[in-house]
Amino acid sequence: MTRERPAPLVPTATYRLQLQPAFPFAAAAAAVPYLASLGVSHLHLSPVLQAVPGSAHGYDVVDHARVRDELGGEEGLRALARTAHEHGLGLIADIVPNHMAMAPRHNRALWEVLREGPKSPYARWFDIDWEAQGGQLLVPVLGGPLGDVIGDLRVDGDVLRYHDHVFPLREGTEDLPLPQLLDAQWYRPVWWRLARTELNYRRFFSISELIGVRVEDPEVFDATHGLILKLLDEGVLDGLRVDHPDGLADPDAYLRRLHEASGGRWTVVEKILSDGEHLPPSWPVAGTTGYDALRHIDGLFADPAGADELLAAYRRFAAPQTDRGGDWAATARRAAYSVLTHELAAEVDRLTRVAHRACAGSSEPALRDRAPWALRTALQELLVRLRVYRPYTSVDASSVITEQAAEQAKQAFLVPEEGGAVDVVRDLLLGRYGDGPDQVELRARFAQTASALRAKSVEDTAFYRYVPLLSATEVGGEPGAPAVSPADFHAYCARVQRDWPATGTVVSTHDTKRSADVRAALAVLTECPERWAELLDTVTRADEGAPDAQLAWAAWQTVFGLGPADPERVREALLKHVREAGLYTSWTEQEPPYEEAVAAFVAAGPCGVPGERITAFREELAEHIRANVLGTALVQLTMPGVPDVYQGTEAEYRALVDPDNRRPVSFPPADPGDKGALTAAALRLRRKRPEVFGTSATYEPLTAEGPAADHCLAFARSGQAVTAVTRLSRRLAQSGGWRDTVLALPPGRWADAQDPAREFAGHTRVSELFERLPVALLERVAE
């Protein structure tokens, strides 16, 4: 008999822990009493399944049937669950359905595929194109062309070794001479640079070390989800975060299968919504992991006019050296073309082969006589013009692959008749030529390639090229329009409460390029763009060592956001910055002289004597930064949705891009400060009054009245809690402060959640409300 599952439980708030060998299950268990006292309802764990040894993140899974040994194994996880339950906490786990580590020595399923080839029972697990490369799976691990490194390859019994890499040998081939032995395998070790153009397996974005998994196959789904589902069924886990569903062949079908298999447990998906895009309404999930909330929260604290002035100042500062990075749309478009023709060239090749097969094998005359080069061009031009990550089977694809985009794509063809390939490809993608195997595969691979392109070209390239305001270059953000008006924010919250009331919300994660507190500081620059431009003129005159103006602007902003700088952290972040940007150096074509110039500039400039002026300017703006930090925190913790608090961010937390933001933190924080007290107050109120913030709650915008009304953002939850925060506080101070601005509170008497002796009612002077802090959380205490 099947044990009856408990009803799905919606968390009141989650707390994200980055598990790693330096912070295993036992360390998480030791933090449980503190985290329970903080007020969260669930711990949100990074991936817990067996990963590559030493992995600092766990997204490189090698065995879905084992809990990671380095974290304490399954018993360690169960012990953590028992400790959490004793303190009233549950566990949410991060799962990785899209990919596994391309590490045969650790990945048994992959090992068997390399040994037995396409006949292996595990061959269906991986998205491999066996028709390409002569039926051999390319393994891009060699340090140079085979002829240069063949002396480093050696046979050791029934395995092939290359430095730290170990591969199985096909039965009966171990005694062959090495060249013939290599030809006889189901795989072919090749120079790592061939991954760009020759690879014949789907990977995660352009990361060859992560191989795509075919969870659309029911048997593969069952094999890769069995342990997680068992832990859910036994009450060890209570919910799931799904990593990167956009990489899957059919996210709609996958999420339906997961929903059914998990008994409808609370599940959020790492779906990045582009500006104006909505989550597919048919998805059986609680919502997203919260990057859409991050974009709306951050936007509240950016001044639109100041952002435009900052952009103009950036163009004056950087334009003499580069025409790239001064226009967001153009920057993103150039990055997309570059990624398609370089990092994703192998993926485009495979997509083109599928499209050509769909055309050549069709009986439809309209599909005939389409050259591969024309189909490739059509595919590329349509991909570049997508404004979202990918189309879905449950959403009308014509709203994503638009007619307007198709007309623009035709301009890439010199001969108009050849531009007809665009219509052919679009019609195939819209399902107008049926649902044959080639058509279905084309739609799936186009969508998968689209999501990889968006991630690589926008998140990992354009965000590092377009740097007028670094806080706006965040996942899910819209750098070309960083500000969000209060009216738009309220509309967003009302929609979330109506459609996705249990969705996740975040402001800092293990993937954010800058923590919320760093971004909160940077947003203040939109309130004083002229001062920032003047300051940069001063510091750049004091130090002319910047290798390029674009990098200099980003470096000075990095130090401003971070505060008193650790040179090593800044140097590592900026080296990653220039490699991701790919303008003067990159991960695969590094230019040591340029990178050495970057490091020297960071040490002498932003982290040297000139940088002290940046630090002094930051101190001058400290009260305004504080207003943004506290405002960001309180809005996230009380708006519709389930807030996820990233480790250490209950106190002020300044971190740069990974791995800087994945360092272990201390529990409790040494100095929680005002942010820590505010966070605890909000979380405890949510735990005490879940109905006020939950799925049946209400959201009501509150409007201030008076000369500074636009600087007060306020809302009520279920008529029982009120959030009020200060926005654009420097502009507020310049205009004369709050003066007689008032906020009309809903009926009843209201107490400050942090200082209950402070009570308010009716039309309350905002200056009194914000007398102690630039934010206020109120709880209704009487009719």
Side-chain angles (χ1 to χ4, degrees):
M1 294 181 63
T2 303
R3 185 172 65 82
E4 185 177 349
R5 291 187 173 116
L9 181 66
V10 176
T12 62
T14 61
Y15 191 99
R16 168 80 177 202
L17 292 172
Q18 283 298 110
L19 300 168
Q20 52 185 295
F23 189 85
F25 296 132
V32 162
Y34 160 70
L35 296 175
S37 71
L38 188 61
V40 299
S41 65
H42 289 72
L43 304 184
H44 170 194
L45 307 178
S46 60
V48 300
L49 299 182
Q50 189 80 349
V52 171
S55 173
H57 50 78
Y59 289 94
D60 42 4
V61 176
V62 296
D63 189 347
H64 294 89
R66 292 172 62 190
V67 175
R68 190 174 177 186
D69 295 332
E70 290 178 299
L71 302 180
E74 186 170 335
E75 182 47 46
L77 176 60
R78 290 179 179 274
L80 170 59
R82 289 192 294 271
T83 301
H85 294 163
E86 289 169 1
H87 289 80
L89 302 181
L91 300 182
I92 307 296
D94 197 341
I95 62 171
V96 191
N98 178 66
H99 53 266
M100 295 180 73
M102 184 66 177
R105 65 183 299 184
H106 305 296
N107 186 336
R108 174 176 170 269
L110 182 60
W111 180 273
E112 294 302 318
V113 172
L114 296 187
R115 188 167 64 89
E116 299 180 9
K119 293 183 180 180
S120 167
Y122 291 102
R124 64 195 306 166
W125 279 41
F126 303 105
D127 197 351
I128 300 169
D129 185 2
W130 291 104
E131 295 180 6
Q133 298 300 333
Q136 287 183 301
L137 173 64
L138 258 62
V139 184
V141 297
L142 301 184
L146 178 63
D148 295 344
V149 301
I150 193 168
D152 296 325
L153 289 162
R154 62 186 180 89
V155 175
D156 184 3
D158 59 354
V159 300
L160 176 69
R161 296 184 181 276
Y162 174 73
H163 297 303
D164 293 335
H165 299 281
V166 183
F167 306 99
L169 292 177
R170 189 173 177 178
E171 186 176 358
T173 64
E174 55 272 12
D175 294 327
L176 292 173
L178 189 55
Q180 289 87 342
L181 179 145
L182 294 175
D183 290 340
Q185 304 310 312
W186 290 110
Y187 60 91
R188 181 157 59 96
V190 298
W191 188 19
W192 65 269
R193 287 191 176 274
L194 268 63
R196 174 179 289 176
T197 57
E198 309 301 315
L199 210 63
N200 59 340
Y201 62 86
R202 182 173 63 83
R203 50 191 167 167
F204 175 61
F205 298 164
S206 60
I207 303 174
S208 302
E209 292 80 7
L210 297 172
I211 184 171
V213 177
R214 299 182 61 256
V215 293
E216 62 269 24
D217 186 313
E219 289 187 23
V220 178
F221 176 92
D222 292 342
T224 55
H225 289 68
L227 177 56
I228 287 291
L229 293 172
K230 174 187 173 185
L231 294 170
L232 281 170
D233 193 54
E234 294 178 1
V236 177
L237 301 177
D238 300 286
L240 301 172
R241 173 203 185 267
V242 180
D243 181 71
H244 187 52
D246 276 352
L248 304 178
D250 189 348
D252 302 77
Y254 168 79
L255 292 171
R256 288 194 298 270
R257 184 176 288 122
L258 180 65
H259 179 75
E260 180 179 351
S262 70
R265 299 305 179 90
W266 184 81
T267 299
V268 291
V269 291
E270 190 198 22
K271 168 58 194 163
I272 312 302
L273 296 170
S274 300
D275 195 39
E277 182 186 12
H278 295 170
L279 195 66
S282 64
W283 282 10
V285 298
T288 73
T289 55
Y291 283 110
D292 45 315
L294 182 154
R295 183 264 192 280
H296 284 84
I297 297 169
D298 275 7
L300 277 176
F301 301 96
D303 178 59
D308 289 343
E309 292 178 42
L310 203 62
L311 172 58
Y314 168 71
R315 286 172 173 165
R316 291 192 299 270
F317 185 89
Q321 286 188 255
T322 176
D323 64 348
R324 291 172 284 189
D327 178 273
W328 169 243
T331 300
R333 186 167 56 251
R334 288 191 188 98
Y337 279 117
S338 176
V339 168
L340 276 179
T341 55
H342 291 79
E343 289 97 326
L344 297 181
E347 284 74 9
V348 173
D349 276 350
R350 187 171 186 182
L351 191 57
T352 302
R353 290 198 301 274
V354 177
H356 187 252
R357 194 166 64 236
C359 289
S362 174
S363 60
E364 283 283 346
L367 297 183
R368 296 295 184 89
D369 297 340
R370 301 298 174 182
W373 73 263
L375 295 172
R376 172 192 292 273
T377 301
L379 288 163
Q380 289 180 330
E381 295 297 324
L382 289 173
L383 284 166
V384 164
R385 286 169 174 80
L386 281 187
R387 292 296 173 259
V388 296
Y389 275 69
R390 60 167 286 165
Y392 302 99
T393 58
S394 61
V395 177
D396 180 9
S398 65
S399 65
V400 176
I401 310 168
T402 66
E403 188 172 344
Q404 179 184 14
E407 291 303 313
Q408 293 173 348
K410 292 176 185 177
Q411 297 174 14
F413 292 84
L414 295 178
V415 178
E417 291 80 4
E418 290 177 334
V422 174
D423 292 327
V424 166
V425 169
R426 182 170 185 261
D427 286 344
L428 283 167
L429 295 173
L430 297 184
R432 293 172 178 170
Y433 287 110
D435 294 317
D438 291 332
Q439 288 86 345
V440 171
E441 182 181 0
L442 178 66
R443 293 199 292 269
R445 294 207 181 281
F446 181 88
Q448 290 172 309
T449 304
S451 70
L453 171 63
R454 183 79 178 184
K456 289 303 300 178
S457 65
V458 176
E459 296 174 31
D460 293 347
T461 305
F463 278 1
Y464 290 96
R465 294 182 178 181
Y466 185 83
V467 298
L469 178 63
L470 288 182
S471 59
T473 54
E474 197 51 81
V475 179
E478 184 59 32
V484 173
S485 70
D488 286 346
F489 176 80
H490 289 313
Y492 166 78
C493 287
R495 187 170 64 249
V496 169
Q497 185 61 51
R498 182 192 68 209
D499 299 338
W500 303 98
T503 190
T505 69
V506 296
V507 288
S508 292
T509 76
H510 62 291
D511 276 336
T512 45
K513 300 187 187 312
R514 295 155 197 91
S515 65
D517 295 343
V518 172
R519 299 197 310 276
L522 288 166
V524 175
L525 296 180
T526 65
E527 300 179 64
C528 52
E530 70 294 333
R531 289 288 311 280
W532 178 251
E534 292 170 1
L535 179 60
L536 255 62
D537 283 342
T538 301
V539 295
T540 52
R541 282 198 302 269
D543 176 44
E544 298 295 339
D548 66 270
Q550 189 179 47
L551 178 276
W553 183 279
W556 294 116
Q557 277 202 14
T558 297
V559 171
F560 177 87
L562 191 61
D566 178 336
E568 181 64 18
R569 292 172 63 195
V570 174
R571 183 182 68 84
E572 289 300 317
L574 287 171
L575 281 175
K576 181 169 184 174
H577 182 110
V578 296
R579 288 172 182 169
E580 294 282 24
L583 295 174
Y584 303 102
T585 186
S586 69
W587 292 105
T588 55
E589 282 84 33
Q590 292 178 18
E591 289 290 336
Y594 177 81
E595 295 192 359
E596 290 166 7
V598 170
F601 164 67
V602 169
C607 293
V609 173
E612 294 174 4
R613 298 183 186 180
I614 300 292
T615 302
F617 183 51
R618 192 186 201 279
E619 288 301 313
E620 180 184 328
L621 298 172
E623 65 175 298
H624 308 300
I625 294 173
R626 176 171 175 258
N628 283 4
V629 166
L630 296 179
T632 295
L634 184 57
V635 168
Q636 189 230 345
L637 294 171
T638 55
M639 69 185 289
V642 177
D644 184 44
V645 179
Y646 187 62
Q647 62 179 23
T649 61
E650 66 272 26
E652 189 165 5
Y653 178 84
R654 304 178 193 176
L656 302 175
V657 70
D658 67 274
D660 188 66
N661 59 6
R662 299 179 183 181
R663 293 169 292 129
V665 299
S666 300
F667 298 107
D671 181 16
D674 288 337
K675 186 186 176 189
L678 178 69
T679 300
L683 291 172
R684 289 165 187 167
L685 182 58
R686 290 188 71 106
R687 183 173 61 187
K688 183 177 76 169
R689 306 283 300 276
E691 75 287 353
V692 172
F693 301 93
T695 56
S696 60
T698 62
Y699 177 90
E700 178 189 0
L702 300 178
T703 303
E705 302 170 2
D710 289 345
H711 293 279
C712 178
L713 184 285
F715 53 82
R717 302 304 313 277
S718 305
Q720 300 297 314
V722 166
T723 286
V725 305
T726 303
R727 56 186 297 270
L728 309 183
S729 66
R730 188 174 187 273
R731 297 287 200 208
L732 171 67
Q734 289 175 320
S735 65
W738 292 113
R739 289 166 283 170
D740 56 355
T741 303
V742 297
L743 178 66
L745 298 175
R749 292 199 61 78
W750 298 82
D752 187 329
Q754 294 191 78
D755 185 359
R758 298 178 71 230
E759 291 194 358
F760 306 91
H763 285 68
T764 298
R765 292 180 67 87
V766 175
S767 58
E768 294 178 8
L769 190 63
F770 294 150
E771 185 176 34
R772 192 175 68 86
L773 293 173
V775 302
L777 174 61
L778 307 180
E779 181 181 8
R780 190 178 182 187
V781 292
E783 295 295 329

